[in-house]
Amino acid sequence: MPTYTALTTLPDESRAQALGEALEELDPAPVGVGVFELEDGSGLWEVGAYFTEVPDDIALTLMAAAFGSAEFAISELPEIDWVAHVRRELKPVEAGRFFVYGSHDSEKLPADRIGLLIEAAMAFGTGHHGTTLGCLRALDRLATGGFHGKNVIDVGCGTAVLAMGAAKIWPETVLATDIDQVAVDVAEANVVANGLDGRVECLEAMGFDHDLIHARAPYDLVFANILKGPLIQIAPDMARHTEAGSLAILSGLLTTQAADVLAAYQAAGFTEVEREEIGDWTTLVLRRA
C-alpha cells in the first residue's frame, strides 16, 4: 500500500498546532499528523500528514493559505520494510556501563555491560542520537562518582531508556512520563521487555502537571531530554519539584541553544556541573542550589 506525505513549515507554534488539528478533518483523512519544532535553530515548526490515499492538493493549498504556512510538499514514499531497514542501520550503542541494543543483536551484549533493550520498531530514543547518548553518559558518570538517585523522574521519556538506565543501577522505583499516550505505551512495553515491570512507572503528563508527580516530589534526579522551548518552559516547575543538591540532566538542545537553556535554569536556581557536546547537540548536568 503506497504512503503519501504532505509537509509544510511555519514560524508560529500555535498556528502549527491549529493547522495540525485542521489536517485531521481532511477527506481523505490522514492516518497520522505530526507537529514538531525543527531542531536547526530556525524557529520553524514542521507540520506533516501521512496518507494511504492521494491527498487533496487543492484542499492543502487552501489550508496553507489560511494558516500562513509554506506550500505543502506532497510526496509518495517508497514501499520499504522500515523495521528491517532500521535493524540494519541501528547498531548497538555503548554509553559508559550501558549497552543499548535491539533483540536482533542480543548475542552481542557484553557480560560487563548493563543491557537496555529497545526494539527497532520503537527507534526514538535508542541511544544513537547525541542527546540520548549524552544523557546516558552523564548518568554513568554520576553513578561512577558515587551519586545514588533515590527519587528519579524522566520527563518526556520517549522509549523510557533513561528511566530504565537509572532503574538498572539503583533499586528505587523510577517515574517516566510523556505527553503522548502512544509514547507511554511504548515505554511500558520496553519496561516489561527489560524485566523492570514494577520498577519503572509510566504515565501520561505534561511536564510536571500530574498529581502523582506532585506527591512524589522532591526529586533528587530529573532527566529532561526534550526540546529547547519545553525545557525553558518547565524550568520553574523543575525548581519547585527538586531541592538543594538535586541534579538535572538536560538535553534535546542544539549546542547553539545551550546558553539560553542554561540561563533559564540559572534564573530558577540551578548551577552548571558539567556539559558534553556530541556533534551538534549538548547535554547539561545541573545542580539545584
Side-chain angles (χ1 to χ4, degrees):
M1 177 184 296
T3 300
Y4 303 88
T5 63
L7 303 174
T8 188
T9 57
L10 64 168
D12 180 80
E13 178 183 3
S14 60
R15 282 191 289 134
Q17 296 289 355
L19 176 55
E21 293 176 5
L23 282 169
E24 295 178 357
E25 305 301 320
L26 279 179
D27 184 18
V31 295
V33 174
V35 180
F36 306 97
E37 184 179 14
L38 294 179
E39 298 177 338
D40 59 2
S42 66
L44 291 174
W45 288 75
E46 181 178 82
V47 181
Y50 297 83
F51 302 82
T52 54
E53 301 177 57
V54 178
D56 186 336
D57 59 341
I58 295 177
L60 289 172
T61 298
L62 294 174
M63 205 169 277
F67 287 90
S69 75
E71 184 177 350
F72 277 93
I74 302 173
S75 303
E76 181 178 354
L77 297 179
E79 294 189 33
I80 296 175
D81 183 342
W82 288 105
V83 172
H85 176 74
V86 169
R87 284 180 173 173
R88 288 194 300 271
E89 296 297 322
L90 294 187
K91 306 302 182 185
V93 171
E94 292 192 55
R97 72 193 67 196
F98 301 108
F99 186 86
V100 188
Y101 67 102
S103 59
H104 56 291
D105 283 321
S106 58
E107 76 284 353
K108 298 178 182 178
L109 174 60
D112 62 345
R113 293 292 185 268
I114 295 174
L116 294 168
L117 171 63
I118 305 292
E119 289 296 3
M122 303 172 178
F124 182 77
T126 59
H128 292 78
H129 197 276
T131 57
T132 308
L133 178 60
C135 289
L136 285 172
R137 285 180 177 177
L139 172 60
D140 177 66
R141 288 192 296 271
L142 288 178
T144 298
F147 177 79
H148 183 139
K150 295 181 173 63
N151 192 14
V152 181
I153 183 171
D154 182 1
V155 178
C157 66
T159 60
V161 65
L162 302 178
M164 293 191 300
K168 288 273 190 175
I169 58 177
W170 299 315
E172 287 77 15
T173 299
V174 178
L175 199 55
T177 76
D178 203 283
I179 62 172
D180 180 13
Q181 184 58 49
V182 173
V184 173
D185 294 341
V186 167
E188 289 176 336
N190 285 331
V191 167
V192 172
N194 282 269
L196 293 170
D197 196 16
R199 296 283 324 290
V200 177
E201 187 170 353
C202 306
L203 59 91
E204 181 181 1
M206 176 77 75
F208 290 88
D209 188 16
H210 194 286
D211 289 343
L212 181 59
I213 296 175
H214 303 326
R216 292 194 179 177
Y219 299 92
D220 59 0
L221 177 60
V222 180
F223 295 104
N225 182 17
I226 48 182
L227 296 174
K228 172 191 172 183
L231 277 174
I232 291 175
Q233 184 178 359
I234 68 171
D237 269 348
M238 191 178 295
R240 285 189 286 270
H241 288 79
T242 52
E243 59 186 357
S246 296
L247 294 170
I249 299 176
L250 311 181
S251 198
L253 59 146
L254 291 160
T255 298
T256 55
Q257 300 170 335
D260 291 340
V261 172
L262 180 58
Y265 280 82
Q266 288 173 329
F270 290 84
T271 58
E272 182 178 350
V273 175
E274 66 170 43
R275 70 172 65 195
E276 181 179 13
E277 296 178 4
I278 302 175
D280 294 329
W281 304 93
T282 292
T283 298
L284 297 173
V285 179
L286 309 179
R287 177 177 284 113
R288 179 82 162 86

